[in-house]
Amino acid sequence: MTNNHKRLLHTGLHSYDHVDLDAGSVFFAQALRAHRCPCCAIELLVFEHELPTAPLRPGFIQLRWLHLEICPSCGWWHFRQDLETSDPAQPAKVARSTWWELTHALQAEIELGTTTLPIEMLQKHLLRRWEDRKLISAQQAEDLVASLLQEHHGGQVVRTTANANAADGGIDLYLTLGDDGSLRRAVQVKRRITNDIEPVEEVRNFVGAMVLAEADHGIFVTTASRFTKVARAVSGKAKGAKVKLQLDLVDGSRLFELLRTTNATKPIQLPPKVQLDQEWQDAQGHLILARDLFTGDIRGWPVKAGHDLQLS
Protein backbone atom coordinates (compact mmCIF):
# COMPACT_ATOMS: atom_id res chain seq x y z
CA MET A 1 0.00 0.00 0.00
CA THR A 2 1.25 3.47 -0.86
CA ASN A 3 0.16 6.59 1.00
CA ASN A 4 0.30 9.88 -0.87
CA HIS A 5 1.38 11.89 2.15
CA LYS A 6 4.21 14.31 1.40
CA ARG A 7 6.39 15.94 4.02
CA LEU A 8 9.40 18.26 4.06
CA LEU A 9 12.60 16.93 5.60
CA HIS A 10 15.91 18.63 6.43
CA THR A 11 18.58 16.98 4.28
CA GLY A 12 21.49 19.44 4.50
CA LEU A 13 22.53 23.07 4.82
CA HIS A 14 23.72 25.89 2.62
CA SER A 15 25.94 28.86 3.46
CA TYR A 16 25.76 32.28 1.83
CA ASP A 17 26.55 35.90 2.70
CA HIS A 18 24.73 39.23 2.93
CA VAL A 19 25.65 40.07 -0.66
CA ASP A 20 23.42 37.24 -1.87
CA LEU A 21 20.53 38.42 0.26
CA ASP A 22 20.88 42.08 -0.68
CA ALA A 23 21.04 41.18 -4.37
CA GLY A 24 17.80 39.24 -4.07
CA SER A 25 19.40 36.03 -5.33
CA VAL A 26 18.34 34.06 -2.23
CA PHE A 27 14.83 32.75 -2.89
CA PHE A 28 13.61 33.22 0.71
CA ALA A 29 14.75 36.85 1.17
CA GLN A 30 11.21 38.22 1.38
CA ALA A 31 10.11 35.50 3.80
CA LEU A 32 13.09 36.21 6.06
CA ARG A 33 12.24 39.90 6.26
CA ALA A 34 8.74 38.91 7.39
CA HIS A 35 10.20 36.28 9.81
CA ARG A 36 8.13 33.57 8.15
CA CYS A 37 9.02 30.10 6.89
CA PRO A 38 9.53 30.13 3.10
CA CYS A 39 8.13 26.58 2.96
CA CYS A 40 5.10 26.83 5.28
CA ALA A 41 4.53 30.63 5.44
CA ILE A 42 4.08 30.46 9.23
CA GLU A 43 5.91 32.53 11.84
CA LEU A 44 9.40 31.35 12.73
CA LEU A 45 10.44 30.65 16.33
CA VAL A 46 13.56 32.49 17.53
CA PHE A 47 16.33 30.92 19.63
CA GLU A 48 19.75 32.12 20.73
CA HIS A 49 22.90 30.69 22.26
CA GLU A 50 25.57 32.85 23.93
CA LEU A 51 29.08 31.52 23.46
CA PRO A 52 31.60 31.56 26.34
CA THR A 53 33.89 34.55 25.80
CA ALA A 54 36.73 36.44 27.47
CA PRO A 55 36.39 40.15 28.44
CA LEU A 56 36.47 42.20 25.26
CA ARG A 57 39.48 44.48 24.87
CA PRO A 58 38.96 48.03 23.51
CA GLY A 59 38.90 48.09 19.72
CA PHE A 60 38.59 44.32 19.37
CA ILE A 61 35.91 42.04 17.88
CA GLN A 62 34.79 38.59 18.97
CA LEU A 63 32.08 36.08 18.11
CA ARG A 64 29.48 36.19 20.91
CA TRP A 65 26.02 34.95 19.86
CA LEU A 66 24.49 32.23 17.68
CA HIS A 67 21.03 33.13 16.43
CA LEU A 68 18.42 30.76 14.96
CA GLU A 69 15.00 31.18 13.42
CA ILE A 70 13.22 27.84 12.92
CA CYS A 71 9.87 26.66 11.57
CA PRO A 72 7.87 24.72 14.18
CA SER A 73 6.12 22.77 11.44
CA CYS A 74 8.65 21.56 8.84
CA GLY A 75 11.88 22.28 10.74
CA TRP A 76 13.37 24.65 8.17
CA TRP A 77 15.82 27.02 9.87
CA HIS A 78 17.92 30.11 9.24
CA PHE A 79 21.14 30.63 11.23
CA ARG A 80 23.54 33.51 11.79
CA GLN A 81 26.57 34.33 13.93
CA ASP A 82 26.66 37.68 15.71
CA LEU A 83 29.77 39.59 16.77
CA GLU A 84 30.36 42.15 19.48
CA THR A 85 32.71 45.08 18.83
CA SER A 86 34.26 47.39 21.41
CA ASP A 87 34.72 51.08 20.50
CA PRO A 88 38.42 52.02 20.93
CA ALA A 89 37.47 55.52 22.13
CA GLN A 90 34.68 54.30 24.42
CA PRO A 91 35.58 50.80 25.71
CA ALA A 92 32.30 50.47 27.60
CA LYS A 93 30.34 50.91 24.37
CA VAL A 94 29.79 47.54 22.65
CA ALA A 95 28.05 47.14 19.30
CA ARG A 96 26.44 43.98 17.93
CA SER A 97 26.68 43.00 14.26
CA THR A 98 26.08 39.93 12.09
CA TRP A 99 28.93 37.90 10.69
CA TRP A 100 28.98 37.84 6.89
CA GLU A 101 28.36 34.10 6.60
CA LEU A 102 24.76 32.91 7.01
CA THR A 103 23.38 29.38 6.84
CA HIS A 104 19.98 27.88 6.11
CA ALA A 105 18.56 24.38 6.01
CA LEU A 106 18.00 22.55 2.74
CA GLN A 107 14.63 20.81 2.59
CA ALA A 108 13.55 17.87 0.44
CA GLU A 109 10.02 16.61 -0.09
CA ILE A 110 9.53 12.98 0.87
CA GLU A 111 6.53 10.77 0.25
CA LEU A 112 5.63 8.49 3.13
CA GLY A 113 4.62 4.93 2.39
CA THR A 114 6.93 4.47 -0.60
CA THR A 115 9.30 1.52 -0.72
CA THR A 116 12.11 3.72 -2.05
CA LEU A 117 12.32 5.94 1.04
CA PRO A 118 15.63 5.15 2.81
CA ILE A 119 15.22 3.94 6.40
CA GLU A 120 17.61 6.66 7.63
CA MET A 121 15.32 9.35 6.21
CA LEU A 122 12.25 7.66 7.66
CA GLN A 123 13.85 7.56 11.12
CA LYS A 124 14.85 11.22 10.87
CA HIS A 125 11.34 12.25 9.84
CA LEU A 126 9.58 10.24 12.57
CA LEU A 127 11.75 11.91 15.22
CA ARG A 128 9.97 15.16 14.33
CA ARG A 129 6.54 13.75 13.43
CA TRP A 130 6.01 10.55 15.38
CA GLU A 131 2.27 10.59 14.63
CA ASP A 132 3.15 9.95 10.97
CA ARG A 133 3.93 6.34 11.89
CA LYS A 134 0.25 5.76 11.07
CA LEU A 135 0.93 6.79 7.46
CA ILE A 136 3.80 4.42 6.70
CA SER A 137 3.32 1.02 5.06
CA ALA A 138 3.40 -2.32 6.88
CA GLN A 139 6.74 -3.04 5.20
CA GLN A 140 8.19 0.26 6.42
CA ALA A 141 7.01 -0.46 9.96
CA GLU A 142 8.77 -3.81 9.84
CA ASP A 143 11.91 -2.24 8.36
CA LEU A 144 11.86 0.47 11.05
CA VAL A 145 11.65 -2.03 13.89
CA ALA A 146 14.31 -4.25 12.32
CA SER A 147 16.74 -1.34 11.97
CA LEU A 148 16.16 -0.09 15.53
CA LEU A 149 16.54 -3.52 17.14
CA GLN A 150 19.69 -4.22 15.17
CA GLU A 151 21.22 -0.82 16.00
CA HIS A 152 20.28 -1.09 19.69
CA HIS A 153 21.41 -4.68 20.30
CA GLY A 154 24.17 -4.96 17.71
CA GLY A 155 22.82 -8.32 16.49
CA GLN A 156 21.50 -9.48 13.13
CA VAL A 157 17.90 -9.45 11.92
CA VAL A 158 16.56 -12.34 9.85
CA ARG A 159 13.22 -11.95 8.05
CA THR A 160 10.75 -14.82 7.88
CA THR A 161 9.27 -13.55 4.59
CA ALA A 162 10.38 -11.16 1.85
CA ASN A 163 7.08 -9.26 2.05
CA ALA A 164 5.47 -7.88 5.19
CA ASN A 165 2.02 -8.77 3.83
CA ALA A 166 2.86 -12.43 3.23
CA ALA A 167 1.88 -15.19 5.68
CA ASP A 168 4.60 -15.50 8.32
CA GLY A 169 3.20 -17.93 10.88
CA GLY A 170 2.85 -15.18 13.48
CA ILE A 171 6.56 -14.21 13.56
CA ASP A 172 7.88 -11.41 11.34
CA LEU A 173 11.56 -11.33 12.29
CA TYR A 174 14.23 -13.11 14.28
CA LEU A 175 16.87 -11.11 16.15
CA THR A 176 20.00 -13.22 16.56
CA LEU A 177 22.57 -12.32 19.22
CA GLY A 178 25.91 -13.70 20.35
CA ASP A 179 29.05 -14.43 18.37
CA ASP A 180 27.64 -17.68 17.04
CA GLY A 181 24.07 -16.43 16.67
CA SER A 182 22.87 -18.95 19.24
CA LEU A 183 20.66 -16.43 21.06
CA ARG A 184 17.48 -15.92 19.08
CA ARG A 185 14.50 -13.69 19.75
CA ALA A 186 11.26 -13.88 17.79
CA VAL A 187 9.77 -10.52 16.78
CA GLN A 188 6.24 -9.58 15.75
CA VAL A 189 5.48 -6.09 14.37
CA LYS A 190 2.00 -4.59 14.27
CA ARG A 191 1.39 -1.31 12.46
CA ARG A 192 -1.79 0.38 13.70
CA ILE A 193 -3.51 3.01 11.55
CA THR A 194 -6.68 3.72 13.55
CA ASN A 195 -6.43 1.66 16.74
CA ASP A 196 -4.33 3.40 19.39
CA ILE A 197 -4.52 0.52 21.89
CA GLU A 198 -3.11 -2.94 21.18
CA PRO A 199 -5.58 -5.71 22.22
CA VAL A 200 -4.69 -8.96 23.92
CA GLU A 201 -5.67 -11.28 21.04
CA GLU A 202 -2.63 -10.51 18.90
CA VAL A 203 -0.27 -10.90 21.85
CA ARG A 204 -1.75 -14.32 22.67
CA ASN A 205 -1.41 -15.38 19.03
CA PHE A 206 2.24 -14.36 19.12
CA VAL A 207 2.85 -16.44 22.26
CA GLY A 208 1.30 -19.43 20.48
CA ALA A 209 3.55 -18.84 17.47
CA MET A 210 6.59 -18.73 19.77
CA VAL A 211 5.65 -22.12 21.27
CA LEU A 212 5.23 -23.70 17.82
CA ALA A 213 8.56 -22.21 16.67
CA GLU A 214 10.28 -23.29 19.92
CA ALA A 215 11.35 -19.71 20.58
CA ASP A 216 11.73 -18.98 24.30
CA HIS A 217 12.23 -15.21 23.97
CA GLY A 218 10.02 -12.86 21.98
CA ILE A 219 9.52 -9.14 21.35
CA PHE A 220 6.05 -7.92 20.40
CA VAL A 221 6.20 -4.41 18.89
CA THR A 222 3.17 -2.27 18.10
CA THR A 223 2.90 1.27 16.80
CA ALA A 224 -0.21 1.74 18.95
CA SER A 225 0.40 4.06 21.90
CA ARG A 226 -0.15 1.37 24.53
CA PHE A 227 -1.28 -2.18 25.29
CA THR A 228 -4.49 -3.04 27.11
CA LYS A 229 -4.10 -4.06 30.75
CA VAL A 230 -4.98 -7.66 29.85
CA ALA A 231 -2.36 -7.67 27.08
CA ARG A 232 0.34 -6.41 29.48
CA ALA A 233 -0.51 -9.25 31.87
CA VAL A 234 0.32 -11.88 29.25
CA SER A 235 4.04 -11.26 29.73
CA GLY A 236 3.88 -12.31 33.39
CA LYS A 237 1.77 -15.36 32.62
CA ALA A 238 4.23 -16.49 29.94
CA LYS A 239 7.08 -16.50 32.45
CA GLY A 240 5.09 -18.68 34.85
CA ALA A 241 3.85 -21.21 32.29
CA LYS A 242 5.12 -24.80 32.03
CA VAL A 243 6.99 -23.81 28.90
CA LYS A 244 8.65 -20.70 30.28
CA LEU A 245 8.75 -17.84 27.83
CA GLN A 246 10.23 -14.35 28.08
CA LEU A 247 8.07 -11.78 26.36
CA ASP A 248 8.96 -8.08 25.90
CA LEU A 249 6.12 -5.74 24.98
CA VAL A 250 7.13 -2.58 23.11
CA ASP A 251 4.34 -0.07 22.53
CA GLY A 252 4.47 3.10 20.42
CA SER A 253 5.77 5.24 23.28
CA ARG A 254 8.60 2.85 24.03
CA LEU A 255 9.37 2.44 20.34
CA PHE A 256 9.74 6.21 20.00
CA GLU A 257 12.18 6.30 22.93
CA LEU A 258 14.17 3.55 21.22
CA LEU A 259 14.18 5.71 18.07
CA ARG A 260 15.46 8.70 20.07
CA THR A 261 18.12 6.64 21.84
CA THR A 262 19.54 5.00 18.74
CA ASN A 263 19.69 8.33 16.90
CA ALA A 264 21.22 10.30 19.79
CA THR A 265 24.80 9.37 18.86
CA LYS A 266 24.44 9.50 15.08
CA PRO A 267 26.30 12.35 13.34
CA ILE A 268 24.07 15.11 12.04
CA GLN A 269 24.88 18.16 9.93
CA LEU A 270 24.79 21.28 12.10
CA PRO A 271 25.51 24.98 11.42
CA PRO A 272 28.95 26.39 12.31
CA LYS A 273 29.81 26.55 16.04
CA VAL A 274 26.74 24.49 17.05
CA GLN A 275 27.25 21.54 19.41
CA LEU A 276 24.54 19.01 20.29
CA ASP A 277 24.78 19.62 24.05
CA GLN A 278 24.47 23.44 23.80
CA GLU A 279 21.59 25.11 25.62
CA TRP A 280 19.56 27.47 23.45
CA GLN A 281 17.04 30.00 24.78
CA ASP A 282 13.84 31.35 23.25
CA ALA A 283 12.43 34.86 23.70
CA GLN A 284 10.60 33.82 26.88
CA GLY A 285 13.71 32.32 28.49
CA HIS A 286 12.82 28.65 27.95
CA LEU A 287 15.88 26.42 27.42
CA ILE A 288 16.29 23.59 24.91
CA LEU A 289 19.28 21.48 23.89
CA ALA A 290 20.56 21.90 20.34
CA ARG A 291 20.00 18.15 19.85
CA ASP A 292 16.25 18.54 20.42
CA LEU A 293 16.07 21.86 18.60
CA PHE A 294 17.61 20.59 15.36
CA THR A 295 16.35 16.99 15.34
CA GLY A 296 13.28 16.80 17.60
CA ASP A 297 9.64 17.82 17.46
CA ILE A 298 9.35 21.48 18.51
CA ARG A 299 5.69 21.97 17.67
CA GLY A 300 3.88 23.31 20.70
CA TRP A 301 7.18 24.47 22.18
CA PRO A 302 8.13 24.49 25.03
CA VAL A 303 7.97 20.77 25.80
CA LYS A 304 9.75 18.49 28.24
CA ALA A 305 12.38 16.09 26.95
CA GLY A 306 11.73 12.36 27.32
CA HIS A 307 13.88 9.71 29.00
CA ASP A 308 16.19 7.20 27.38
CA LEU A 309 14.94 3.65 26.87
CA GLN A 310 16.58 0.55 28.26
CA LEU A 311 15.47 -2.67 26.57
CA SER A 312 16.02 -5.90 28.46
Side-chain angles (χ1 to χ4, degrees):
M1 182 181 72
T2 300
N3 298 306
N4 295 318
H5 296 280
K6 296 183 177 180
R7 295 286 189 268
L8 288 168
L9 180 68
H10 170 225
T11 57
L13 54 85
H14 174 70
S15 295
Y16 67 102
D17 60 36
H18 287 289
V19 175
D20 296 319
L21 191 62
D22 294 339
S25 59
V26 178
F27 79 96
F28 51 82
Q30 187 173 355
L32 277 181
R33 294 187 184 97
H35 301 285
R36 291 191 171 273
C37 174
C39 304
C40 306
I42 65 176
E43 187 174 358
L44 297 169
L45 300 179
V46 178
F47 293 87
E48 193 166 86
H49 172 75
E50 185 172 350
L51 295 168
T53 56
L56 187 61
R57 296 165 57 189
F60 279 73
I61 300 174
Q62 66 180 351
L63 184 62
R64 180 71 179 274
W65 299 276
L66 306 180
H67 181 90
L68 183 78
E69 293 178 283
I70 187 168
C71 176
S73 178
C74 72
W76 181 90
W77 49 258
H78 182 254
F79 171 87
R80 74 170 192 253
Q81 303 175 57
D82 284 359
L83 307 168
E84 64 173 356
T85 305
S86 175
D87 190 326
Q90 304 178 59
K93 186 178 180 180
V94 177
R96 178 169 176 166
S97 59
T98 300
W99 180 239
W100 66 271
E101 185 180 35
L102 303 168
T103 310
H104 71 86
L106 295 174
Q107 302 287 83
E109 190 174 66
I110 63 171
E111 187 171 323
L112 297 175
T114 62
T115 57
T116 57
L117 184 63
I119 191 64
E120 294 80 9
M121 293 187 70
L122 180 62
Q123 286 192 22
K124 186 185 294 186
H125 173 72
L126 292 178
L127 279 169
R128 281 199 178 274
R129 287 182 177 266
W130 179 235
E131 72 276 11
D132 278 359
R133 69 192 185 279
K134 296 180 180 180
L135 305 179
I136 65 177
S137 67
Q139 185 64 58
Q140 284 177 313
E142 193 172 294
D143 292 343
L144 174 67
V145 171
S147 65
L148 293 178
L149 290 178
Q150 185 165 317
E151 290 175 33
H152 183 81
H153 290 283
Q156 295 296 318
V157 171
V158 179
R159 301 177 186 276
T160 58
T161 64
N163 190 320
N165 295 313
D168 53 26
I171 296 175
D172 293 320
L173 314 165
Y174 282 102
L175 175 65
T176 60
L177 303 170
D179 295 336
D180 57 355
S182 58
L183 300 177
R184 190 178 71 160
R185 299 181 184 182
V187 182
Q188 177 70 306
V189 181
K190 289 297 179 182
R191 176 205 54 157
R192 297 305 182 192
I193 300 174
T194 56
N195 294 341
D196 206 35
I197 302 177
E198 186 65 42
V200 67
E201 290 78 13
E202 295 290 356
V203 180
R204 286 173 176 163
N205 291 339
F206 179 55
V207 171
M210 289 174 59
V211 173
L212 292 176
E214 297 182 345
D216 58 5
H217 194 152
I219 306 173
F220 188 103
V221 185
T222 178
T223 60
S225 294
R226 61 185 178 87
F227 290 91
T228 64
K229 184 177 181 180
V230 179
R232 294 197 304 270
V234 172
S235 180
K237 292 179 180 179
K239 289 182 180 179
K242 287 184 178 180
V243 180
K244 296 186 182 298
L245 303 174
Q246 184 172 342
L247 177 62
D248 295 333
L249 300 180
V250 180
D251 58 22
S253 299
R254 197 176 177 202
L255 183 61
F256 178 68
E257 289 306 318
L258 180 57
L259 175 65
R260 290 183 73 249
T261 302
T262 55
N263 278 270
T265 56
K266 290 182 180 179
I268 61 174
Q269 197 172 22
L270 295 169
K273 305 296 182 181
V274 174
Q275 303 294 326
L276 288 175
D277 58 352
Q278 284 176 346
E279 283 191 337
W280 286 67
Q281 183 172 280
D282 68 3
Q284 288 71 44
H286 300 118
L287 297 177
I288 184 173
L289 289 178
R291 181 190 311 280
D292 298 319
L293 183 58
F294 284 93
T295 67
D297 186 353
I298 61 170
R299 291 169 297 170
W301 169 259
V303 295
K304 292 182 178 179
H307 299 286
D308 288 343
L309 167 72
Q310 294 294 328
L311 269 183
S312 58

